[in-house]
Amino acid sequence: MKSVVIQQPGQLDITERSRPEPAAGEVRVKVKLAGICGSDSHIYRGHNPFAKYPRVIGHEFFGIIDAVGEGVPAERLGQRVSVDPVISCGHCYPCSVGKPNVCTSLVVLGVHRDGGFSEYAVVPEANAWVIPDAIADEDAVMVEPFTIAANVTGHASPTEQDVALVYGAGPMGLTTVQALKGVYNVKQLIVVDRIEERLKMAQGCGADLVINNSNVNLQAVLEEKGIKPTLIIDAACHPSILPEAIALASPAARIVIMGFSSEPCQIVQQGITGKELSIFSSRLNARKFPVVIDWLQRGLIDPTKLVTHKFDYHHVADAIELFEKDQRQCCKVLLTFN
Ligand code: NAI
Ligand code: MN
Ligand code: ZN
């Protein structure tokens, strides 16, 4: 089989490898579609501190189970599945409180262990979630990015009273925008970005108001319009955003951050306590695959609105380069495997 291997930072090869056999408790997935994410590019470029090389990248993938390991029922053969990349131990403290996404021995497919940019991938049976026939392949491959939004909204519990503000209209911001409107029907949804084309996409995904903050003071614009966000999601993840969000927020608001910056930022406690703000962080997903599959079945979200390009996996290097260079035209880029 062929696999997309990052041999070392900067070196991507499409390599012939022997087809893996599923171990006990595992299934083998014949991959049909995979999505390119920022973290794939970070591993490729050597910017992910968790990555070990050589590595088959890819943590957003969909395919068909074509072999099962010992102890896995034969009924699973032929199932269409989306794969949850989060592998956890099941008994540490975070696992015991429902946060397998921060398991003390967390393994993420495509980061710590070989992932889905490959003709075949072996994964734990429990990570392969069955996709109902009514859900198209192109939607099924997008389950993982929407689980990030499901995790974020799971922390914040949005309501129809919320005035929500989302920073960033990249793939992560847009999945969150779709969830806030389509699933939770928030009262007003504002999206902030610096790229006009992305703000257009945000409108297509349900934003009521979009603001390009490249040349304006966001706080002043919101004050002028009398908007006090009750729920703020930072899907742009610059360290300067959290202090601004704290200043913008309504009393009793919730803020969710999802960035991994190692740069410090300055926060004044009074700004948080004075308004009794709740600040959550969200990483990956804690068993949100069934949640998103349900959203898809009920037609509450439309992943195809995020997909701008599709490449045969042989062109993966070009696909990643385009994804990195052209944020105006590119949002989610898919790879097809045969
Ligand atoms: P992206 O780079 O495609 O999108 C970020 C967007 O934010 C861009 O459109 C950019 O123009 C905009 N932006 C940057 N600075 C801004 C600012 N100061 N104000 C307004 N807009 C600004 O990235 P993607 O894939 O959407 O991911 C977003 C972030 O989420 C990344 O930092 C990534 O590391 C993080 N992430 C976190 C996850 C988690 O589970 N916590 C999972 C996946 C991504
Ligand atoms: Mn991803
Ligand atoms: Zn654990």
Side-chain angles (χ1 to χ4, degrees), residues 18-24 26-28 66-69 113 120-123:
S18 59
R19 200 169 60 169
E21 291 304 325
E26 290 185 340
V27 297
R28 185 173 65 206
D66 87 322
V68 298
R113 166 178 163 167
Y120 296 86
V122 289
V123 307

Side-chain angles (χ1 to χ4, degrees), residues 81-308:
V81 294
S82 290
V83 177
D84 185 346
V86 174
I87 301 174
S88 55
C89 78
H91 49 72
C92 68
Y93 170 72
C95 281
S96 77
V97 296
K99 294 195 176 205
N101 49 324
V102 286
C103 173
T104 55
S105 41
L106 178 67
V107 171
V108 181
L109 288 166
V111 181
H112 309 95
R113 166 178 163 167
D114 284 344
F117 289 2
S118 181
E119 289 182 306
Y120 296 86
V122 289
V123 307
E125 181 201 5
N127 288 59
W129 291 91
V130 178
I131 298 299
D133 290 341
I135 297 176
D137 294 3
E138 279 74 11
D139 290 334
V141 69
M142 294 290 288
V143 171
E144 195 277 343
F146 276 89
T147 63
I148 308 296
N151 212 67
V152 164
T153 53
H155 286 303
S157 307
T159 75
E160 294 185 5
Q161 263 191 301
D162 272 313
V163 174
L165 174 74
V166 176
Y167 279 94
M172 289 302 108
L174 295 177
T175 56
T176 306
V177 165
Q178 286 202 15
L180 288 171
K181 263 295 163 185
V183 181
Y184 296 97
N185 194 23
V186 295
K187 183 163 83 185
Q188 190 182 19
L189 179 50
I190 303 126
V191 178
V192 185
D193 202 296
R194 296 164 164 187
I195 301 176
E196 281 301 326
E197 289 84 349
R198 288 200 153 182
L199 290 171
K200 282 239 159 55
M201 289 189 87
Q203 281 173 316
C205 287
D208 300 304
L209 174 66
V210 296
I211 300 175
N212 186 327
N213 68 338
S214 47
N215 293 312
V216 300
N217 178 309
L218 178 62
Q219 188 162 11
V221 172
L222 293 178
E223 264 166 29
E224 190 198 307
K225 293 182 186 293
I227 295 172
K228 277 267 174 220
T230 59
L231 172 57
I232 302 178
I233 316 288
D234 177 11
C237 305
H238 188 275
S240 65
I241 290 174
L242 180 58
E244 184 180 75
I246 289 169
L248 295 176
S250 159
R254 296 91 77 214
I255 298 174
V256 188
I257 57 171
M258 48 194 299
F260 292 94
S261 172
S262 55
E263 295 296 314
C265 68
Q266 264 203 330
I267 289 171
V268 181
Q269 289 191 30
Q270 193 180 68
I272 302 171
T273 317
K275 297 194 270 193
E276 201 177 350
L277 302 178
S278 303
I279 302 179
F280 299 91
S281 66
S282 184
R283 182 177 181 192
L284 302 166
N285 89 93
R287 293 183 69 83
K288 299 298 188 197
F289 270 63
V291 173
V292 173
I293 291 167
D294 177 60
W295 291 354
L296 284 170
Q297 267 194 302
R298 291 157 61 202
L300 304 180
I301 52 172
D302 182 359
T304 56
K305 287 186 175 162
L306 271 63
V307 179
T308 53

